[in-house]
Amino acid sequence: MPKISALTEATSAAYNDSLALVVGATSRKITKQNFLKGRPFVIVGPSDADYITDGTADEVQVQAAIDSLSSTGGTVYLQKGTYAFAAPVVISGNLTLDNTKSITIIGDGQESTVINVATNVDGFTLKINAMVHMSNFRINVDG
């Protein structure tokens, strides 16, 4: 039987290979078919997405995307663009510390996917053992 560390390394390598679809120099268009097979996946963005944003109160669509994954966990992909948050996006886990329903939020790059958060607003609020991985986007906080 393989050691746990070997399994963890293999899982990490597969996950990183999947992320390379997004951030690699030769990245191709993200589709549900070519990203983390078997894991629920939703797209948020200004066009050709499951949740369409318009540059005002985009936290509503991001929250809806996250909420759609609350019973299973999964990945929210934020397309290239600028998103405006007028209120925080709340991500909750469950009441156990062994929460397998993690959420991954991934953007199209630090300069390509930008979240502008309104003054005196938290961009993301994590509650109740939330397990979240966020990468490849920038959050600008104004105050």
Side-chain angles (χ1 to χ4, degrees):
M1 186 158 89
K3 293 182 179 179
I4 290 178
S5 62
L7 291 173
T8 302
E9 288 172 11
T11 302
S12 266
Y15 182 75
N16 287 336
D17 287 346
S18 296
L19 291 180
L21 292 172
V22 178
V23 298
T26 59
S27 66
R28 59 183 185 241
K29 184 176 178 180
I30 299 302
T31 66
K32 291 181 184 183
Q33 290 74 37
N34 71 5
F35 193 83
L36 298 176
K37 291 181 180 172
R39 184 164 162 81
F41 181 88
V42 294
I43 300 172
V44 177
S47 64
D48 195 27
D50 299 305
Y51 297 87
I52 304 293
T53 58
D54 64 4
T56 58
D58 294 324
E59 77 281 352
V60 174
Q61 290 80 16
V62 174
Q63 184 72 63
I66 290 168
D67 291 348
S68 76
L69 301 171
S70 66
S71 65
T72 60
T75 299
V76 174
Y77 168 62
L78 299 174
Q79 292 177 334
K80 179 179 180 177
T82 301
Y83 300 84
F85 280 21
V89 169
V90 178
I91 304 171
S92 295
N94 59 33
L95 296 178
T96 68
L97 290 176
D98 186 23
N99 181 3
T100 59
K101 297 172 183 155
S102 66
I103 300 291
T104 298
I105 304 171
I106 188 166
D108 203 40
Q110 201 172 7
E111 299 303 318
S112 300
T113 303
V114 178
I115 297 172
N116 291 321
V117 180
T119 302
N120 297 322
V121 171
D122 294 329
F124 291 91
T125 301
L126 308 180
K127 293 184 172 184
I128 314 171
N129 300 322
M131 294 186 65
V132 181
H133 175 83
M134 298 181 192
S135 64
N136 299 324
F137 62 91
R138 184 176 75 224
I139 301 172
N140 294 329
V141 180
D142 185 24

